[in-house]
Amino acid sequence: MFEFKKTGQQQRQRFRLRAWVAVGLVFACFGLLSWRLWQLQVERHEGLAARADRNRIAVVPIPPRRGEIVDRNGEVLARNYRTYTLEVVPAQAGPLDELFKTLPQLVHISPADERRFRRRVAESSRYASVVLRNNLNETEASWFAAHAFRFPGVELKARWVREYPQGPVAAHVVGYIGRISESDLETLEASGQLGNYRGTDVIGKKGLEKTWEHVLHGRTGLEEVEVTARGRPVRTLRRIDPQPGANLVLSLDLGLQRVAEEAFAGQRGALVAIEPATGDVLAFVSQPSFDPNLFIDGIDVENWKLLNESPDHPLINRPLYGTYPIGSTYKPFVALAALELGKRRAHERFYDPGYYEFGGQRFRNAGSVAYGMTDMNRALVVSSDTYFYSLGPEIGVDALHDFMKPFGFGQLTGIDLEGERRGILPSREWKRSAYKDREQQRWYAGETISVAVGQGYNSFTLLQLAQATAVLANDGVYMKPHLVRGVQDPLNGSIEPTVSEPSYRIPLKQENVDLIKRALNDVVKVGTARRAFLGAPYNVAGKTGTAQVYSLRGGQYRANEIDERLRDHALFMSFAPAEKPSIAIALIVENGGWGGSVAAPVARKVYDYWLSRNPADPEQIRQAQGRPSEPAPAPAMSDVPPPATDTDRPPPADPAPVPRAPGVVNAARVTAGSIAP
């Protein structure tokens, strides 16, 4: 009995212990659950709520409309239009081969579209959205929308598409856009702009499209959309509208641009026209050109080969990138340097026997023509090489360098286009830094002689020659050349000008500038450019030029006996009306021959168009037609008609030329030999 009672008591104790353990475990579990609930609901509430919202809310970037580009008269060079595209996320679309079997039943997919798509897929992430087809019409878009459920990972989108309605006209100025590359992404990330390009797949690649990308792109908007578990949109929660890019109002006149491009008639070359008083670039021609529309969605292989492998190099921006010896178009500036530096008086006569002898070697006139007693005016009118050969040693290469530098020769003009080359304005210091060999670093006096006629190491862009001509026409006032005249706010239409004040003024004596201008006027009236401007109802001041492409090494130049691409370049610099210039032009016709017979007629067509729209003063027209309203001045030496030749190309000196300067495109090498300095 006692044993039974003791056993029962032990069992009750064990039961109570077990009960308390069970209760403890229950409370521990409830405590743990309560602690976890507190942690989730209180401590981590904000983070988890944000994650939940992200699972429920999709943030969709809204790319902005790109700004338009128009000329000074409002004619459009670059614009946008809305279109539909098919975009595919390869990771969600399943096997691509199966997709290309079923999708063409609804929407036309060309073999080129498929090749381009597969190439882009190989270049990008499988989770990135890749464009499959552009420019779907309304019927195709609505038909696909009705069957979109059959194609997971394929989405119909509306987007802005860039268009260049002028085609090849001014293509080197406008440039083009293209798909954002890895290098573009790195650049955007480094500049802190990557977030502003979410949802955007194109960026400016060339021309103004690239230089003014930060203005044209605008600011990306966003839309917060509530979506289902499968990603289908339910409703829009919040929207921030994108800010469209600003419009660019160019200084170009498209009518003038077309006339200038057509004037080249299939020849290779470049032309830049500038308004001297403002620095506005009125025409910017690089021939041949290309169609920028080819690059918008990626150029195909065939067209790329045609452009890239063409011997005419249509993709090179010649006025900006090509550097040339400018021949006799350099002479007006050399003459002005001689006047300003006091090396020679304007009416001081110099005997020209047809050659200049220095150090026992002869530097000859073109055609070995002898002009006799010649002053500065006549030397410019007939383009006497001998006269300017003699100025080289008198001025000196370093003094000539310092005088030419403010005009922009051998300097970056700072025009609003990428890829500008500096060219070469030679000096002793330049040669020491350009060559490693000590003997090549030495400057010879014979090299100064060639530099004085625009040959030798001289190598400038057409933009630099045009800018220097505009500065001369503007009496030494340097206005920075620019293509964008103003930036237009797309919302209120206000235009902010880009350049309004002169950069600086070159301290020149007005009487010296006027003398050079009168001589350039005589070049057109009775000199080497007279034939091109016969009967012109306006007054032009200009200078022809012809520059060698390679050294003759003492031989005689015969154009019909050498390869066309080795023939001389034809150049012309000018401004009009001569008394009050409203336009300054510099142009080159590559391998065209004589400047007076090839380049000057191109300028005549440009002036005929521009001055007919912006006519000269009646007084200027009367003077151009030989009906002065004031008594005519006494005849100067330049009034004596020059010989019938219009050649202005300096022949080589008798010895072999010096080596070609490094980095010079099409540089002439017509210089004297090793003459002691």
Side-chain angles (χ1 to χ4, degrees):
M1 184 69 181
F2 177 77
E3 290 294 333
F4 177 78
K5 186 176 182 180
K6 184 177 180 180
T7 301
Q9 186 177 1
Q10 291 176 345
Q11 288 178 345
R12 287 194 297 272
Q13 290 177 348
R14 283 198 297 269
F15 176 78
R16 283 196 296 270
L17 178 62
R18 290 173 181 173
W20 281 111
V21 170
V23 170
L25 288 175
V26 170
F27 276 104
C29 290
F30 272 105
L32 182 63
L33 184 62
S34 299
W35 172 81
R36 182 59 176 167
L37 188 62
W38 171 269
Q39 187 183 44
L40 294 177
Q41 293 293 333
V42 179
E43 292 183 1
R44 300 180 58 187
H45 170 75
E46 292 184 2
L48 294 175
R51 290 179 60 183
D53 283 339
R54 282 198 296 270
N55 291 334
R56 180 174 58 90
I57 301 172
V59 179
V60 181
I62 307 174
R65 178 176 58 83
R66 195 172 180 84
E68 295 187 345
I69 302 176
V70 299
D71 82 334
R72 65 194 296 127
N73 302 310
E75 195 167 353
V76 179
L77 290 95
R79 64 188 177 196
N80 313 283
Y81 64 92
R82 294 287 279 182
T83 186
Y84 294 101
T85 64
L86 275 183
E87 297 188 14
V88 180
V89 178
Q92 301 174 1
L96 295 182
D97 292 336
E98 186 66 26
L99 176 66
F100 283 111
K101 287 181 181 179
T102 56
L103 187 58
Q105 299 173 8
L106 300 176
V107 178
H108 174 68
I109 305 294
S110 69
D113 292 331
E114 182 176 349
R115 288 196 303 269
R116 187 184 301 111
F117 173 78
R118 290 183 182 274
R119 184 182 72 247
R120 290 175 179 173
V121 168
E123 296 172 351
S124 59
S125 167
R126 284 182 51 81
Y127 295 92
S129 182
V130 181
V131 175
L132 172 59
R133 163 79 193 281
N134 283 312
N135 301 326
L136 276 73
N137 57 41
E138 295 287 343
T139 302
E140 290 177 312
S142 59
W143 189 251
F144 175 82
H147 298 80
F149 66 92
R150 296 170 49 191
F151 302 97
V154 182
E155 188 175 0
L156 180 69
K157 291 185 177 181
R159 68 160 183 157
W160 290 107
V161 175
R162 200 65 159 171
E163 181 186 31
Y164 302 103
Q166 307 302 330
V169 177
H172 291 90
V173 174
V174 179
Y176 54 84
I177 62 171
R179 293 184 64 82
I180 296 178
S181 64
E182 289 296 329
S183 61
D184 293 327
L185 290 174
E186 293 174 1
T187 302
L188 290 171
E189 187 172 11
S191 62
Q193 292 292 316
L194 186 59
N196 194 34
Y197 281 78
R198 301 296 183 188
T200 301
D201 57 359
V202 294
I203 195 171
K205 295 288 187 178
K206 292 291 182 181
L208 296 176
E209 290 277 27
K210 182 174 184 180
T211 310
W212 291 85
E213 170 67 26
H214 62 290
V215 171
L216 289 167
H217 178 260
R219 183 164 295 278
T220 300
L222 62 87
E223 196 172 49
E224 292 184 354
V225 181
E226 185 177 0
V227 295
T228 64
R230 295 188 177 184
R232 292 190 177 276
V234 176
R235 61 191 176 99
T236 300
L237 301 177
R238 186 167 69 101
R239 177 185 174 91
I240 300 177
D241 290 328
Q243 297 179 13
N247 301 324
L248 299 183
V249 180
L250 305 189
S251 58
L252 287 186
D253 184 289
L254 270 184
L256 183 69
Q257 180 79 17
R258 293 190 189 97
V259 168
E261 291 186 5
E262 292 169 0
F264 278 86
Q267 296 175 296
R268 299 182 304 279
L271 178 148
V272 178
I274 299 176
E275 187 174 54
T278 63
D280 285 356
V281 178
L282 304 174
F284 192 94
V285 176
S286 180
Q287 287 293 97
S289 187
F290 64 94
D291 187 354
N293 291 294
L294 296 172
F295 292 88
I296 295 174
D297 290 313
I299 189 169
D300 58 86
V301 176
E302 293 76 12
N303 281 313
W304 173 249
K305 283 186 176 181
L306 288 175
L307 293 174
N308 193 46
E309 298 177 4
S310 170
D312 293 333
H313 305 294
L315 295 178
I316 290 181
N317 193 337
R318 283 171 162 82
L320 202 68
Y321 189 80
T323 56
Y324 311 86
I326 61 173
S328 294
T329 59
Y330 200 49
K331 292 175 181 176
F333 303 97
V334 176
L336 184 59
L339 293 174
E340 289 289 324
L341 300 175
K343 300 299 182 180
R344 191 171 295 180
R345 295 189 301 273
H347 299 292
E348 181 180 347
R349 297 186 180 186
F350 178 88
Y351 182 67
D352 179 356
Y355 61 87
Y356 175 70
E357 192 163 350
F358 186 87
Q361 301 177 34
R362 289 184 174 181
F363 298 79
R364 304 180 185 277
N365 280 337
S368 298
V369 178
Y371 295 109
M373 297 303 295
T374 307
D375 65 1
M376 185 175 289
N377 187 294
R378 180 175 169 81
L380 286 170
V381 171
V382 300
S383 199
S384 168
D385 295 319
T386 297
Y387 184 92
F388 288 94
Y389 286 146
S390 69
L391 284 178
E394 292 184 28
I395 299 175
V397 66
D398 288 335
L400 196 60
H401 169 277
D402 294 343
F403 182 83
M404 296 299 180
K405 186 176 179 179
F407 282 89
F409 288 113
Q411 312 302 311
L412 297 178
T413 66
I415 193 171
D416 43 354
L417 278 180
E418 184 185 73
E420 181 181 7
R421 297 188 71 183
R422 184 177 295 274
I424 296 175
L425 179 61
S427 66
R428 294 175 186 271
E429 177 61 31
W430 166 81
K431 197 175 184 186
R432 282 194 293 267
S433 62
Y435 292 98
K436 295 182 179 179
D437 185 82
R438 185 175 296 276
E439 183 62 26
Q440 289 181 315
Q441 291 177 347
R442 188 181 182 189
W443 186 269
Y444 298 97
E447 295 171 333
T448 306
I449 293 173
S450 293
V451 165
V453 293
Q455 298 281 164
Y457 291 114
N458 284 325
S459 182
F460 309 124
T461 66
L462 251 292
L463 176 61
Q464 290 172 357
L465 178 57
Q467 176 64 7
T469 304
V471 173
L472 177 62
N474 205 25
D475 298 331
V477 178
Y478 189 102
M479 297 295 298
K480 181 181 177 181
H482 52 276
L483 287 156
V484 176
R485 196 180 193 186
V487 177
Q488 183 182 41
D489 190 304
L491 301 179
N492 58 32
S494 62
I495 299 177
E496 181 181 353
T498 55
V499 176
S500 57
E501 298 293 332
S503 298
Y504 53 83
R505 185 186 187 104
I506 305 174
L508 302 172
K509 295 179 182 178
Q510 191 60 45
E511 61 267 26
N512 293 335
V513 175
D514 292 340
L515 189 146
I516 298 299
K517 287 184 176 181
R518 287 195 297 270
L520 295 182
N521 189 206
D522 288 341
V523 169
V524 176
K525 286 182 176 179
V526 295
T528 55
R530 66 192 183 282
R531 296 175 183 172
F533 288 92
L534 286 175
Y538 45 81
N539 221 0
V540 177
K543 183 71 188 76
T544 58
T546 307
Q548 282 186 280
V549 175
Y550 77 110
S551 172
L552 295 174
R553 298 185 181 276
Q556 187 174 359
Y557 176 80
R558 295 184 178 89
N560 58 351
E561 295 180 3
I562 62 177
D563 184 84
E564 185 266 340
R565 294 180 185 274
L566 295 178
R567 296 173 189 171
D568 294 342
H569 296 322
L571 298 103
F572 188 62
M573 57 81 76
S574 60
F575 50 86
E579 293 78 10
K580 191 177 181 181
S582 64
I583 180 173
I585 293 175
L587 70 99
I588 184 171
V589 179
E590 292 182 3
N591 313 117
W594 309 125
S597 58
V598 177
V602 175
R604 169 68 188 270
K605 294 178 181 178
V606 173
Y607 283 130
D608 282 349
Y609 174 85
W610 185 253
L611 296 179
S612 67
R613 295 180 56 190
N614 306 273
D617 296 336
E619 176 67 21
Q620 296 170 351
I621 295 177
R622 282 195 296 270
Q623 291 178 3
Q625 294 174 341
R627 297 184 288 109
S629 58
E630 299 179 358
M637 291 196 67
S638 60
D639 295 328
V640 181
T645 177
D646 63 354
T647 60
D648 46 24
R649 167 183 173 275
D654 294 335
V658 298
R660 179 177 180 176
V664 179
V665 178
N666 290 332
R669 292 165 284 172
V670 186
T671 58
S674 301
I675 302 174

